[in-house]
Amino acid sequence: MELLLALVVLLVLIVIMGLKIVPQSRNLVITRLGAYHRTLDAGVNIIVPFLDRVHANVPVNDQVLNDIELEVVSADNVVFGAQLLVVYRIENPEAAVFRVNKIDDLVIGLVQSLVRSELGKVELDAVQSDRGSLNLALLEALEDAGKTYGIRISRSEITDVRLNETTQKAMAEVLAAERERRAAITRAEGQRRAAELNADGELYEAQRRADGIRAIAHANAEANREIAASLEGANAQEALVFQTARMQIEALEGLAKSNNAKLIMLPGGPSNAFREAAAILKDI
């Protein structure tokens, strides 16, 4: 009876030892007699006691490394510090356990090497202004490197770029010079545009004056033709003389009304115009 009880107790102990409950987001790497045997997923699993052993308890959820720092030399020979955030996941626990000793150290080493390589291809301005493209390039390079070790790097971000005091001062001077250059260009363009508008205004004014002169000339010519036609052709010459004399008289009248006119001297031409107009009116 005691032997049977001992056997039952031993059997229960063996079952308990062989029963493995794996929590969610974890995997158990099992070895049998020292060699890799299989990987246990989340849930209830059975192993062979004394032959199988849990070699590693591996997390398979996302792991975050947010304190990766390194010094980088850009393509324009500027030394700056970069801080990165990396998110990775172990997809092949066997490779992650047996191919590398410390997975975090591996990821940090890969990130530092590939980041130096990628950022060394671009200038500092591109690092600061186009981080999106750089992050994508880094992610592609890190994904290829991580497959060998059974990990998948799902995110890589340049979270901060730190410049030393000398570089910051030089960049401030460059930015100030660039702002002054743009301001000078803006002022020059404004002056050029103002000159163009002024010239367009003067041209428009001259065109309007010319149009007015042409309109007056056409009106006078039409009036002369009407007068000549009304005098039946024989007196056309007298009509033109009369019309000319009338225009001279109107011009003299306007000159006499001017505020600046203090002294009016009549040349022989205008006085003759009075006499010619009077003679024509007498004949009519």
Side-chain angles (χ1 to χ4, degrees):
M1 185 65 180
E2 292 180 357
L3 180 62
L4 180 60
L5 181 60
L7 290 175
V8 171
V9 171
L10 180 62
L11 182 61
V12 171
L13 290 176
I14 292 175
V15 171
I16 293 174
M17 292 176 60
L19 184 65
K20 295 296 179 182
I21 299 176
V22 183
Q24 188 68 34
S25 75
R26 311 289 293 189
N27 279 173
L28 298 183
V29 176
I30 304 300
T31 58
R32 175 170 291 179
L33 299 178
Y36 171 74
H37 177 55
R38 64 190 179 112
T39 300
L40 303 183
D41 295 327
V44 179
N45 296 271
I46 300 297
I47 64 173
V48 178
F50 308 110
L51 295 180
D52 296 340
R53 186 176 69 88
V54 177
H55 181 80
N57 188 338
V58 181
V60 292
N61 56 345
D62 287 343
Q63 305 295 308
V64 180
L65 299 174
N66 57 5
D67 55 353
I68 302 177
E69 298 184 359
L70 68 160
E71 295 290 329
V72 183
V73 180
S74 63
D76 51 349
N77 295 321
V78 178
V79 180
F80 62 94
Q83 186 171 2
L84 298 101
L85 178 144
V86 176
V87 179
Y88 73 92
R89 175 183 298 178
I90 297 176
E91 293 188 335
N92 186 346
E94 174 192 356
V97 169
F98 292 108
R99 290 187 180 183
V100 62
N101 185 20
K102 295 182 179 179
I103 195 70
D104 285 354
D105 292 344
L106 170 68
V107 173
I108 292 174
L110 288 175
V111 168
Q112 290 179 337
S113 175
L114 292 174
V115 166
R116 286 193 178 98
S117 176
E118 291 296 328
L119 296 187
K121 299 176 183 177
V122 298
E123 296 182 354
L124 178 61
D125 290 342
V127 176
Q128 294 181 314
S129 62
D130 192 17
R131 292 190 188 182
S133 299
L134 288 173
N135 289 332
L136 290 176
L138 289 173
L139 182 60
E140 292 178 359
L142 290 170
E143 281 183 338
D144 292 337
K147 290 178 181 178
T148 304
Y149 302 98
I151 61 176
R152 179 178 180 272
I153 299 175
S154 58
R155 193 172 185 85
S156 174
E157 296 284 346
I158 302 173
T159 57
D160 190 21
V161 174
R162 298 183 305 279
L163 305 176
N164 57 41
E165 185 177 354
T166 302
T167 304
Q168 289 179 351
K169 183 177 179 181
M171 290 188 65
E173 292 176 353
V174 170
L175 291 175
E178 179 64 17
R179 286 194 294 268
E180 180 60 28
R181 183 184 69 84
R182 293 180 181 178
I185 292 174
T186 302
R187 288 194 296 269
E189 290 180 347
Q191 293 173 356
R192 178 178 63 83
R193 183 57 180 164
E196 290 177 352
L197 292 175
N198 186 45
D200 290 342
E202 292 178 355
L203 177 61
Y204 176 76
E205 184 179 354
Q207 290 175 344
R208 296 295 295 173
R209 286 198 300 267
D211 292 340
I213 293 171
R214 281 195 294 270
I216 293 172
H218 287 309
N220 290 334
E222 183 63 25
N224 291 334
R225 284 193 294 271
E226 292 292 335
I227 293 172
S230 65
L231 296 175
E232 297 180 353
N235 298 321
Q237 184 66 30
E238 289 80 356
L240 293 175
V241 174
F242 174 77
Q243 183 69 4
T244 303
R246 184 182 65 80
M247 293 174 62
Q248 290 179 343
I249 292 169
E250 291 176 354
L252 288 172
E253 182 183 1
L255 181 62
K257 292 179 179 180
S258 174
N259 294 329
N260 296 327
K262 303 301 181 181
L263 177 62
I264 301 175
M265 299 182 66
L266 299 177
S271 61
N272 291 336
F274 285 110
R275 291 194 294 272
E276 291 173 358
I280 293 171
L281 292 174
K282 181 180 179 182
D283 294 339
I284 295 176

